[in-house]
Coordinates of all heavy atoms in Angstrom, one line a residue:
M1182 N 88.9 -82.7 46.9 CA 89.8 -83.3 46.0 C 89.0 -84.2 45.0 O 88.1 -84.9 45.5 CB 90.8 -84.1 46.7 CG 91.8 -84.8 45.7 SD 93.0 -85.7 46.7 CE 94.0 -86.2 45.4
A1183 N 89.2 -84.1 43.8 CA 88.5 -84.9 42.8 C 88.9 -86.3 42.9 O 90.0 -86.7 43.2 CB 88.8 -84.4 41.4
T1184 N 87.9 -87.2 42.6 CA 88.2 -88.7 42.6 C 88.9 -89.0 41.3 O 88.5 -88.6 40.3 CB 86.9 -89.4 42.8 OG1 86.2 -89.0 44.0 CG2 87.1 -90.9 42.8
K1185 N 90.0 -89.8 41.5 CA 90.7 -90.3 40.3 C 90.1 -91.6 39.9 O 90.0 -92.5 40.7 CB 92.2 -90.4 40.7 CG 93.1 -90.9 39.6 CD 94.5 -90.8 40.0 CE 95.0 -92.2 40.2 NZ 96.4 -92.2 40.6
V1186 N 89.7 -91.8 38.7 CA 89.2 -93.0 38.2 C 90.1 -93.6 37.1 O 90.4 -92.8 36.1 CB 87.7 -92.8 37.6 CG1 87.2 -94.1 37.1 CG2 86.8 -92.3 38.7
K1187 N 90.4 -94.8 37.2 CA 91.2 -95.5 36.1 C 90.3 -96.5 35.4 O 89.5 -97.2 36.1 CB 92.4 -96.2 36.7 CG 93.5 -95.3 37.3 CD 94.7 -96.1 37.7 CE 95.8 -95.2 38.3 NZ 96.9 -95.9 38.7
T1188 N 90.5 -96.6 34.1 CA 89.7 -97.6 33.4 C 90.7 -98.5 32.6 O 91.8 -98.1 32.3 CB 88.7 -97.0 32.4 OG1 89.4 -96.1 31.5 CG2 87.6 -96.2 33.2
G1189 N 90.2 -99.7 32.3 CA 91.0 -100.6 31.6 C 90.5 -100.8 30.2 O 89.9 -99.9 29.6
V1190 N 90.6 -102.0 29.7 CA 90.1 -102.3 28.3 C 88.6 -102.1 28.2 O 87.9 -102.5 29.1 CB 90.4 -103.8 28.0 CG1 89.9 -104.2 26.6 CG2 91.9 -104.0 28.1
L1191 N 88.2 -101.4 27.2 CA 86.8 -101.1 26.9 C 86.1 -100.3 28.0 O 84.9 -100.5 28.3 CB 86.0 -102.4 26.6 CG 86.5 -103.2 25.4 CD1 85.7 -104.5 25.3 CD2 86.4 -102.4 24.1
G1192 N 86.8 -99.5 28.8 CA 86.2 -98.7 29.8 C 85.9 -99.4 31.1 O 85.1 -98.8 31.9
T1193 N 86.3 -100.6 31.3 CA 86.0 -101.3 32.6 C 86.7 -100.6 33.7 O 87.9 -100.3 33.7 CB 86.5 -102.8 32.5 OG1 85.9 -103.4 31.4 CG2 86.2 -103.5 33.8
L1194 N 86.0 -100.3 34.8 CA 86.5 -99.7 36.0 C 87.5 -100.6 36.7 O 87.1 -101.7 37.0 CB 85.4 -99.2 36.9 CG 85.8 -98.5 38.2 CD1 86.4 -97.1 37.8 CD2 84.6 -98.3 39.1
T1195 N 88.7 -100.1 36.9 CA 89.7 -101.0 37.6 C 90.2 -100.4 38.9 O 90.7 -101.1 39.7 CB 91.0 -101.2 36.7 OG1 91.6 -99.9 36.4 CG2 90.6 -101.9 35.4
E1196 N 90.0 -99.1 39.2 CA 90.5 -98.5 40.4 C 89.7 -97.2 40.7 O 89.5 -96.4 39.8 CB 92.0 -98.2 40.2 CG 92.7 -97.8 41.5 CD 94.1 -97.6 41.3 OE1 94.8 -98.5 40.7 OE2 94.7 -96.5 41.6
L1197 N 89.4 -97.0 41.9 CA 88.8 -95.7 42.4 C 89.6 -95.3 43.6 O 89.7 -96.0 44.6 CB 87.4 -96.0 42.8 CG 86.3 -95.0 42.7 CD1 86.2 -94.5 41.2 CD2 85.0 -95.5 43.1
N1198 N 90.1 -94.1 43.6 CA 91.0 -93.6 44.7 C 90.3 -92.5 45.4 O 89.8 -91.5 44.8 CB 92.3 -93.1 44.2 CG 93.1 -94.3 43.6 OD1 93.3 -95.3 44.2 ND2 93.7 -94.1 42.4
F1199 N 90.3 -92.5 46.8 CA 89.7 -91.5 47.6 C 90.8 -91.0 48.5 O 91.6 -91.7 49.0 CB 88.6 -92.0 48.4 CG 87.4 -92.5 47.7 CD1 87.3 -93.8 47.2 CD2 86.3 -91.7 47.4 CE1 86.2 -94.3 46.5 CE2 85.2 -92.1 46.6 CZ 85.2 -93.4 46.2
A1200 N 90.8 -89.7 48.8 CA 91.7 -89.1 49.8 C 91.3 -89.7 51.2 O 90.2 -90.1 51.4 CB 91.6 -87.6 49.8
D1201 N 92.2 -89.6 52.2 CA 91.8 -89.9 53.6 C 90.5 -89.2 54.0 O 90.4 -88.0 53.7 CB 92.9 -89.6 54.6 CG 94.1 -90.6 54.5 OD1 93.8 -91.7 54.0 OD2 95.1 -90.3 55.0
S1202 N 89.6 -89.9 54.6 CA 88.3 -89.4 55.0 C 87.4 -89.2 53.9 O 86.2 -88.8 54.1 CB 88.4 -88.2 55.9 OG 89.2 -88.6 57.1
G1203 N 87.8 -89.4 52.6 CA 86.9 -89.3 51.5 C 86.0 -90.6 51.5 O 86.5 -91.7 51.8
K1204 N 84.7 -90.4 51.3 CA 83.8 -91.5 51.5 C 83.1 -92.0 50.2 O 82.7 -91.2 49.4 CB 82.7 -91.1 52.5 CG 83.2 -90.7 53.9 CD 82.1 -90.2 54.8 CE 82.7 -89.9 56.1 NZ 81.6 -89.3 57.0
A1205 N 83.0 -93.3 50.1 CA 82.1 -93.9 49.1 C 80.8 -94.0 49.9 O 80.7 -94.6 50.9 CB 82.6 -95.3 48.7
Q1206 N 79.8 -93.4 49.3 CA 78.5 -93.3 50.0 C 77.4 -93.9 49.2 O 77.3 -93.7 48.0 CB 78.1 -91.8 50.4 CG 79.2 -91.2 51.3 CD 78.8 -89.8 51.7 OE1 78.7 -89.6 52.9 NE2 78.7 -88.9 50.8
F1207 N 76.5 -94.6 49.8 CA 75.4 -95.3 49.1 C 74.1 -95.0 49.8 O 74.0 -94.9 51.0 CB 75.7 -96.9 49.1 CG 77.0 -97.3 48.6 CD1 78.1 -97.3 49.4 CD2 77.1 -97.6 47.2 CE1 79.4 -97.6 48.9 CE2 78.4 -97.9 46.7 CZ 79.5 -98.0 47.5
G1208 N 73.0 -95.0 49.0 CA 71.7 -94.7 49.5 C 71.4 -93.2 49.4 O 72.2 -92.4 49.2
T1209 N 70.1 -92.9 49.7 CA 69.7 -91.5 49.6 C 70.0 -90.7 50.8 O 70.0 -89.5 50.7 CB 68.1 -91.5 49.4 OG1 67.5 -92.1 50.5 CG2 67.7 -92.1 48.1
G1210 N 70.4 -91.3 51.9 CA 70.7 -90.7 53.2 C 72.0 -89.9 53.3 O 72.0 -88.8 53.7
P1211 N 73.2 -90.3 52.9 CA 73.6 -91.6 52.5 C 73.6 -92.6 53.6 O 74.1 -92.3 54.7 CB 75.0 -91.5 51.9 CG 75.5 -90.3 52.7 CD 74.3 -89.4 53.1
D1212 N 73.0 -93.8 53.4 CA 72.8 -94.8 54.4 C 74.1 -95.6 54.8 O 74.3 -96.0 55.9 CB 71.7 -95.8 54.0 CG 70.4 -95.1 53.7 OD1 70.1 -94.1 54.3 OD2 69.7 -95.6 52.8
L1213 N 74.9 -95.8 53.8 CA 76.1 -96.6 53.9 C 77.3 -95.8 53.5 O 77.3 -95.2 52.5 CB 76.0 -97.9 53.1 CG 77.3 -98.8 53.1 CD1 77.6 -99.4 54.5 CD2 77.2 -99.9 52.0
Q1214 N 78.4 -95.8 54.4 CA 79.6 -95.1 54.1 C 80.8 -96.1 54.2 O 80.8 -96.8 55.2 CB 79.8 -93.9 55.0 CG 78.7 -92.9 55.0 CD 78.9 -91.9 56.1 OE1 79.7 -92.0 57.0 NE2 78.1 -90.8 55.9
I1215 N 81.7 -96.0 53.3 CA 83.0 -96.8 53.4 C 84.1 -95.8 53.2 O 84.1 -95.0 52.2 CB 83.0 -97.9 52.3 CG1 81.9 -98.8 52.4 CG2 84.4 -98.6 52.4 CD1 81.7 -99.8 51.3
Y1216 N 85.0 -95.7 54.2 CA 86.1 -94.8 54.1 C 87.3 -95.1 55.0 O 87.2 -96.1 55.8 CB 85.7 -93.4 54.4 CG 85.1 -93.1 55.8 CD1 85.9 -92.5 56.7 CD2 83.9 -93.5 56.1 CE1 85.5 -92.3 58.0 CE2 83.4 -93.3 57.4 CZ 84.2 -92.7 58.4 OH 83.7 -92.4 59.6
H1217 N 88.4 -94.4 54.8 CA 89.6 -94.6 55.7 C 89.9 -93.2 56.2 O 89.9 -92.2 55.5 CB 90.8 -95.1 54.8 CG 91.9 -95.4 55.7 ND1 92.9 -94.5 56.1 CD2 92.3 -96.6 56.2 CE1 93.8 -95.1 56.8 NE2 93.5 -96.4 56.9
D1218 N 90.0 -93.1 57.6 CA 90.2 -91.8 58.2 C 91.6 -91.4 58.4 O 91.9 -90.5 59.1 CB 89.4 -91.8 59.6 CG 90.1 -92.7 60.6 OD1 91.1 -93.3 60.4 OD2 89.4 -92.9 61.7
G1219 N 92.6 -92.1 57.8 CA 94.0 -91.8 57.9 C 94.7 -92.8 58.8 O 95.9 -93.0 58.7
S1220 N 93.9 -93.4 59.7 CA 94.4 -94.4 60.7 C 93.6 -95.7 60.6 O 94.2 -96.8 60.9 CB 94.4 -93.9 62.1 OG 95.2 -92.8 62.2
N1221 N 92.3 -95.7 60.4 CA 91.4 -96.8 60.5 C 90.5 -96.9 59.3 O 90.0 -95.9 58.8 CB 90.6 -96.7 61.7 CG 91.4 -96.6 63.0 OD1 92.1 -97.5 63.4 ND2 91.4 -95.4 63.6
A1222 N 90.2 -98.2 58.8 CA 89.2 -98.4 57.8 C 87.9 -98.5 58.5 O 87.7 -99.0 59.6 CB 89.5 -99.7 57.1
R1223 N 86.9 -97.8 57.9 CA 85.5 -97.8 58.5 C 84.4 -98.1 57.5 O 84.5 -97.7 56.3 CB 85.3 -96.4 59.0 CG 86.3 -96.0 60.1 CD 85.9 -94.7 60.7 NE 86.9 -94.3 61.7 CZ 86.9 -94.5 63.0 NH1 86.0 -95.3 63.5 NH2 87.9 -94.1 63.8
I1224 N 83.5 -98.9 57.9 CA 82.3 -99.2 57.2 C 81.1 -98.8 58.1 O 81.0 -99.4 59.2 CB 82.2 -100.7 56.8 CG1 83.3 -101.1 55.9 CG2 80.8 -100.9 56.0 CD1 83.4 -102.5 55.6
R1225 N 80.3 -97.8 57.8 CA 79.3 -97.3 58.7 C 77.9 -97.5 58.0 O 77.7 -97.0 56.9 CB 79.5 -95.9 59.0 CG 80.8 -95.6 59.7 CD 80.9 -94.2 60.1 NE 79.9 -93.7 61.0 CZ 79.5 -92.5 61.2 NH1 80.0 -91.5 60.5 NH2 78.5 -92.2 62.0
E1226 N 77.0 -98.2 58.7 CA 75.6 -98.3 58.3 C 74.8 -97.4 59.2 O 74.8 -97.6 60.4 CB 75.1 -99.7 58.4 CG 73.6 -99.9 58.2 CD 73.0 -99.3 57.0 OE1 73.6 -99.5 55.9 OE2 72.0 -98.5 57.1
L1227 N 74.2 -96.3 58.6 CA 73.6 -95.3 59.4 C 72.1 -95.5 59.7 O 71.5 -94.8 60.6 CB 73.8 -93.9 58.8 CG 75.2 -93.6 58.5 CD1 75.3 -92.3 57.7 CD2 76.0 -93.5 59.8
T1228 N 71.4 -96.4 59.1 CA 70.0 -96.6 59.2 C 69.5 -97.9 59.7 O 68.4 -98.1 60.1 CB 69.3 -96.2 57.9 OG1 69.7 -97.1 56.9 CG2 69.5 -94.8 57.5
G1229 N 70.3 -99.0 59.6 CA 69.8 -100.3 59.9 C 71.0 -101.2 60.4 O 71.9 -100.8 61.1
E1230 N 70.9 -102.4 60.0 CA 71.9 -103.4 60.4 C 73.0 -103.5 59.3 O 72.7 -103.4 58.1 CB 71.2 -104.8 60.5 CG 70.2 -104.9 61.5 CD 69.4 -106.2 61.6 OE1 69.6 -107.0 60.6 OE2 68.7 -106.4 62.5
L1231 N 74.2 -103.8 59.7 CA 75.3 -104.1 58.8 C 75.4 -105.6 58.7 O 75.6 -106.3 59.7 CB 76.6 -103.5 59.3 CG 77.8 -103.8 58.5 CD1 77.7 -103.1 57.1 CD2 79.1 -103.3 59.1
R1232 N 75.2 -106.1 57.5 CA 75.3 -107.6 57.3 C 76.4 -107.9 56.3 O 76.5 -107.3 55.2 CB 74.0 -108.0 56.7 CG 72.8 -107.9 57.7 CD 71.5 -108.3 57.0 NE 70.4 -108.2 58.0 CZ 69.8 -109.2 58.6 NH1 70.2 -110.4 58.2 NH2 68.9 -109.0 59.4
L1233 N 77.2 -108.9 56.7 CA 78.2 -109.5 55.8 C 77.6 -110.8 55.4 O 77.3 -111.6 56.3 CB 79.6 -109.6 56.5 CG 80.2 -108.4 57.0 CD1 81.6 -108.7 57.7 CD2 80.4 -107.4 55.9
Q1234 N 77.5 -111.0 54.1 CA 76.8 -112.2 53.6 C 77.7 -112.9 52.7 O 78.5 -112.4 52.0 CB 75.5 -111.9 53.0 CG 74.5 -111.2 54.0 CD 73.2 -110.9 53.4 OE1 73.1 -110.5 52.2 NE2 72.1 -111.0 54.1
T1235 N 77.4 -114.3 52.6 CA 78.2 -115.1 51.7 C 77.2 -115.8 50.7 O 76.0 -115.8 50.9 CB 78.9 -116.2 52.4 OG1 78.0 -117.0 53.1 CG2 79.9 -115.6 53.4
T1236 N 77.8 -116.2 49.6 CA 77.1 -116.9 48.5 C 76.0 -116.1 47.9 O 75.6 -115.0 48.4 CB 76.4 -118.3 49.0 OG1 75.3 -118.0 49.8 CG2 77.4 -119.1 49.7
S1237 N 75.5 -116.5 46.7 CA 74.5 -115.8 46.0 C 73.2 -115.7 46.7 O 72.4 -114.9 46.4 CB 74.4 -116.4 44.6 OG 73.9 -117.7 44.7
G1238 N 73.0 -116.6 47.6 CA 71.7 -116.6 48.4 C 71.6 -115.7 49.5 O 70.6 -115.5 50.2
G1239 N 72.7 -114.9 49.8 CA 72.7 -114.0 50.9 C 72.7 -114.6 52.3 O 72.0 -114.1 53.1
V1240 N 73.5 -115.6 52.5 CA 73.5 -116.3 53.8 C 74.4 -115.4 54.7 O 75.5 -115.0 54.4 CB 74.2 -117.7 53.7 CG1 74.4 -118.3 55.1 CG2 73.3 -118.6 52.8
N1241 N 73.8 -115.0 55.9 CA 74.5 -114.2 56.9 C 75.8 -114.9 57.4 O 75.8 -116.0 57.7 CB 73.6 -113.8 58.0 CG 72.6 -112.9 57.7 OD1 72.7 -112.1 56.8 ND2 71.4 -113.0 58.4
A1242 N 76.9 -114.1 57.4 CA 78.1 -114.5 58.1 C 78.3 -113.7 59.4 O 78.7 -114.2 60.4 CB 79.3 -114.3 57.2
L1243 N 77.9 -112.4 59.4 CA 77.9 -111.5 60.5 C 76.8 -110.5 60.4 O 76.6 -110.0 59.3 CB 79.3 -110.8 60.6 CG 79.5 -109.9 61.8 CD1 80.9 -110.1 62.3 CD2 79.3 -108.5 61.5
V1244 N 76.2 -110.2 61.5 CA 75.2 -109.1 61.5 C 75.5 -108.2 62.7 O 75.6 -108.7 63.8 CB 73.7 -109.7 61.7 CG1 72.7 -108.6 61.8 CG2 73.4 -110.6 60.5
A1245 N 75.7 -107.0 62.4 CA 75.9 -106.0 63.5 C 74.7 -105.1 63.6 O 74.4 -104.4 62.6 CB 77.2 -105.2 63.2
K1246 N 74.0 -105.1 64.7 CA 72.8 -104.3 64.9 C 73.1 -103.0 65.6 O 74.0 -103.0 66.5 CB 71.8 -105.1 65.7 CG 71.4 -106.4 65.0 CD 70.4 -107.2 65.8 CE 70.0 -108.5 65.1 NZ 68.9 -109.2 65.8
S1247 N 72.5 -102.0 65.2 CA 72.7 -100.6 65.7 C 72.5 -100.6 67.2 O 71.4 -100.9 67.7 CB 71.8 -99.6 65.0 OG 72.1 -98.3 65.5
N1248 N 73.5 -100.2 68.0 CA 73.5 -100.1 69.4 C 72.9 -101.4 70.1 O 72.2 -101.3 71.1 CB 72.6 -98.9 69.9 CG 73.3 -97.6 69.4 OD1 74.5 -97.5 69.5 ND2 72.5 -96.8 68.8
A1249 N 73.2 -102.6 69.5 CA 72.7 -103.8 70.1 C 73.7 -104.9 69.8 O 74.9 -104.8 69.8 CB 71.3 -104.1 69.5
A1250 N 73.1 -106.1 69.5 CA 73.9 -107.3 69.4 C 74.7 -107.4 68.1 O 74.4 -106.7 67.1 CB 72.9 -108.5 69.3
V1251 N 75.8 -108.1 68.2 CA 76.6 -108.6 67.0 C 76.4 -110.1 67.0 O 76.6 -110.8 68.0 CB 78.1 -108.2 67.2 CG1 78.9 -108.8 66.0 CG2 78.2 -106.7 67.2
E1252 N 76.0 -110.6 65.8 CA 75.8 -112.0 65.7 C 76.8 -112.6 64.7 O 77.0 -112.0 63.6 CB 74.4 -112.3 65.2 CG 73.3 -111.7 66.1 CD 71.9 -111.7 65.5 OE1 71.8 -111.8 64.3 OE2 70.9 -111.6 66.3
I1253 N 77.3 -113.8 65.0 CA 78.2 -114.5 64.1 C 77.6 -115.8 63.7 O 77.1 -116.5 64.6 CB 79.6 -114.6 64.7 CG1 80.2 -113.3 65.0 CG2 80.5 -115.5 63.8 CD1 81.5 -113.3 65.8
F1254 N 77.6 -116.1 62.4 CA 77.0 -117.3 61.9 C 78.0 -118.3 61.3 O 79.1 -117.9 60.8 CB 76.0 -116.9 60.8 CG 74.9 -116.0 61.2 CD1 75.0 -114.7 61.5 CD2 73.6 -116.6 61.4 CE1 74.0 -113.9 62.0 CE2 72.5 -115.8 61.9 CZ 72.7 -114.5 62.1
H1255 N 77.6 -119.5 61.3 CA 78.3 -120.6 60.5 C 77.3 -121.3 59.7 O 76.3 -121.8 60.2 CB 79.0 -121.6 61.5 CG 79.7 -122.7 60.8 ND1 80.9 -122.5 60.2 CD2 79.3 -124.0 60.5 CE1 81.3 -123.7 59.6 NE2 80.3 -124.5 59.8
A1256 N 77.6 -121.3 58.4 CA 76.6 -122.0 57.4 C 75.2 -121.5 57.6 O 74.3 -122.3 57.5 CB 76.8 -123.5 57.5
G1257 N 75.0 -120.2 57.9 CA 73.7 -119.6 58.0 C 73.0 -119.8 59.4 O 71.9 -119.4 59.6
S1258 N 73.7 -120.5 60.3 CA 73.2 -120.7 61.7 C 73.9 -119.9 62.7 O 75.2 -119.9 62.7 CB 73.3 -122.2 62.1 OG 72.5 -123.0 61.3
K1259 N 73.2 -119.1 63.5 CA 73.8 -118.2 64.5 C 74.5 -119.1 65.5 O 73.9 -119.9 66.2 CB 72.8 -117.3 65.1 CG 73.4 -116.3 66.1 CD 72.4 -115.3 66.6 CE 71.0 -115.7 67.0 NZ 70.2 -114.7 67.6
K1260 N 75.8 -118.8 65.8 CA 76.6 -119.5 66.7 C 77.0 -118.6 67.9 O 77.3 -119.1 69.0 CB 77.9 -120.1 66.0 CG 77.5 -121.1 65.0 CD 76.8 -122.3 65.6 CE 76.4 -123.3 64.5 NZ 75.7 -124.4 65.1
L1261 N 77.2 -117.3 67.7 CA 77.6 -116.4 68.8 C 76.9 -115.1 68.7 O 76.7 -114.6 67.6 CB 79.1 -116.2 68.7 CG 79.7 -115.4 69.9 CD1 81.0 -116.0 70.3 CD2 79.8 -113.9 69.6
E1262 N 76.4 -114.6 69.8 CA 75.7 -113.3 69.9 C 76.2 -112.6 71.1 O 76.2 -113.1 72.2 CB 74.2 -113.6 69.9 CG 73.4 -112.3 70.1 CD 71.9 -112.6 70.1 OE1 71.5 -113.7 70.5 OE2 71.1 -111.7 69.9
T1263 N 76.5 -111.3 70.9 CA 76.8 -110.5 72.1 C 75.4 -110.0 72.7 O 74.5 -109.8 71.9 CB 77.6 -109.2 71.7 OG1 76.9 -108.4 70.8 CG2 79.0 -109.7 71.1
T1264 N 75.4 -109.8 74.0 CA 74.2 -109.3 74.6 C 74.6 -108.2 75.6 O 75.8 -108.0 75.8 CB 73.5 -110.4 75.4 OG1 74.3 -110.8 76.5 CG2 73.2 -111.7 74.6
S1265 N 73.6 -107.6 76.2 CA 73.9 -106.5 77.2 C 74.7 -107.1 78.4 O 75.3 -106.3 79.1 CB 72.6 -105.8 77.6 OG 71.8 -106.7 78.2
T1266 N 74.6 -108.4 78.7 CA 75.2 -108.9 79.8 C 76.5 -109.8 79.5 O 77.1 -110.3 80.4 CB 74.2 -109.8 80.6 OG1 73.7 -110.8 79.8 CG2 73.1 -108.9 81.2
G1267 N 76.7 -110.0 78.2 CA 77.9 -110.9 77.8 C 77.7 -111.4 76.5 O 77.4 -110.7 75.5
I1268 N 77.8 -112.8 76.4 CA 77.6 -113.5 75.1 C 76.8 -114.7 75.3 O 76.7 -115.3 76.3 CB 79.0 -113.9 74.5 CG1 79.8 -114.9 75.4 CG2 79.8 -112.7 74.1 CD1 81.0 -115.5 74.7
N1269 N 76.1 -115.1 74.2 CA 75.4 -116.4 74.1 C 76.1 -117.2 73.0 O 76.4 -116.7 71.9 CB 74.0 -116.2 73.7 CG 73.1 -115.6 74.8 OD1 73.5 -115.8 76.0 ND2 72.1 -114.9 74.5
I1270 N 76.4 -118.4 73.3 CA 77.0 -119.3 72.3 C 76.1 -120.5 72.1 O 75.6 -121.1 73.0 CB 78.4 -119.8 72.8 CG1 79.3 -118.6 73.0 CG2 79.0 -120.9 71.9 CD1 80.6 -119.0 73.7
T1271 N 75.9 -120.9 70.8 CA 75.1 -122.0 70.4 C 76.1 -123.1 70.0 O 76.9 -122.9 69.1 CB 74.1 -121.7 69.3 OG1 73.3 -120.7 69.7 CG2 73.3 -122.9 68.9
G1272 N 76.1 -124.3 70.6 CA 77.0 -125.3 70.3 C 78.1 -125.5 71.3 O 78.0 -124.9 72.4
S1273 N 79.1 -126.2 71.0 CA 80.2 -126.5 72.0 C 81.3 -125.4 71.9 O 81.4 -124.8 70.8 CB 80.7 -127.9 71.8 OG 81.3 -128.0 70.5
V1274 N 82.1 -125.3 72.9 CA 83.2 -124.4 72.9 C 84.5 -125.2 73.1 O 84.6 -126.0 74.0 CB 83.1 -123.3 74.1 CG1 84.3 -122.5 74.1 CG2 81.8 -122.5 73.9
T1275 N 85.4 -125.0 72.2 CA 86.8 -125.6 72.4 C 87.7 -124.5 72.7 O 87.8 -123.5 72.0 CB 87.2 -126.3 71.1 OG1 86.2 -127.3 70.8 CG2 88.5 -126.9 71.2
A1276 N 88.5 -124.6 73.8 CA 89.4 -123.5 74.2 C 90.7 -124.1 74.8 O 90.6 -125.0 75.6 CB 88.7 -122.6 75.2
D1277 N 91.8 -123.6 74.4 CA 93.1 -123.9 75.0 C 93.3 -123.0 76.2 O 93.1 -121.8 76.1 CB 94.2 -123.9 74.0 CG 94.1 -124.9 72.9 OD1 93.4 -125.9 73.2 OD2 94.6 -124.6 71.8
D1278 N 93.8 -123.5 77.3 CA 94.2 -122.7 78.5 C 93.0 -121.8 78.9 O 93.1 -120.6 79.2 CB 95.4 -121.8 78.1 CG 96.6 -122.6 77.8 OD1 96.8 -123.6 78.4 OD2 97.3 -122.2 76.8
L1279 N 91.8 -122.4 79.0 CA 90.6 -121.6 79.4 C 90.7 -121.2 80.9 O 91.1 -122.0 81.8 CB 89.4 -122.5 79.2 CG 88.0 -121.9 79.7 CD1 87.7 -120.6 78.8 CD2 86.9 -122.9 79.6
R1280 N 90.4 -120.0 81.2 CA 90.4 -119.4 82.5 C 89.1 -118.7 82.7 O 88.7 -117.8 81.9 CB 91.6 -118.5 82.7 CG 91.6 -117.9 84.1 CD 92.8 -117.0 84.2 NE 92.7 -116.2 85.4 CZ 93.5 -115.2 85.8 NH1 94.5 -115.0 85.1 NH2 93.3 -114.5 86.9
I1281 N 88.4 -119.0 83.8 CA 87.1 -118.3 84.0 C 87.2 -117.6 85.4 O 87.5 -118.3 86.4 CB 85.9 -119.3 84.0 CG1 85.8 -120.0 82.7 CG2 84.6 -118.6 84.4 CD1 84.8 -121.1 82.6
D1282 N 86.9 -116.3 85.5 CA 87.0 -115.5 86.7 C 85.6 -114.8 86.9 O 84.9 -114.6 86.0 CB 88.1 -114.4 86.6 CG 89.5 -115.0 86.7 OD1 89.7 -116.0 87.4 OD2 90.4 -114.5 86.0
D1283 N 85.4 -114.5 88.1 CA 84.2 -113.7 88.4 C 84.4 -112.2 88.0 O 85.5 -111.7 88.2 CB 83.8 -113.7 89.9 CG 83.2 -115.1 90.3 OD1 83.0 -115.9 89.4 OD2 83.0 -115.3 91.5

């Protein structure tokens, strides 16, 4: 199915529509894919890490490593990381109704 493109004043792109499972692909591989499979939204990085960054300086907010850790940051400092055995937390934890089991 052809992609429908809408433009506004002076040809500015305002909307890009894809059919379910139609992908926006980036890179020569394509390395990055963004799509909706009819039920779920998906962002796939096929060659490296997926990084969500904030501000113009590219400060990490979340880093998902291929088949490895997911790291969550606050103001550029890693605060939580998943590991093969659980999680690592940097700093204090505040929790309501905390329950810890073996």
Side-chain angles (χ1 to χ4, degrees):
M1182 176 179 189
T1184 301
K1185 181 173 108 179
V1186 178
K1187 292 184 179 180
T1188 58
V1190 177
L1191 301 175
T1193 302
L1194 183 65
T1195 61
E1196 189 176 310
L1197 210 59
N1198 295 311
F1199 297 88
D1201 282 343
S1202 297
K1204 298 176 182 177
Q1206 301 185 119
F1207 304 87
T1209 57
D1212 304 326
L1213 175 66
Q1214 301 175 347
I1215 301 172
Y1216 63 102
H1217 189 274
D1218 66 10
S1220 299
N1221 303 292
R1223 300 186 183 269
I1224 301 173
R1225 296 182 65 201
E1226 169 52 49
L1227 303 175
T1228 58
E1230 299 174 347
L1231 177 63
R1232 295 174 177 257
L1233 300 180
Q1234 298 182 326
T1235 61
T1236 72
S1237 61
V1240 175
N1241 288 330
L1243 183 138
V1244 176
K1246 298 179 178 186
S1247 180
N1248 298 315
V1251 173
E1252 303 169 342
I1253 299 175
F1254 296 76
H1255 176 80
S1258 296
K1259 183 170 42 173
K1260 297 298 178 179
L1261 187 140
E1262 176 181 20
T1263 63
T1264 69
S1265 61
T1266 59
I1268 61 171
N1269 288 333
I1270 297 173
T1271 302
S1273 61
V1274 175
T1275 302
D1277 295 334
D1278 300 319
L1279 178 64
R1280 180 179 167 184
I1281 301 174
D1282 290 324
D1283 286 357

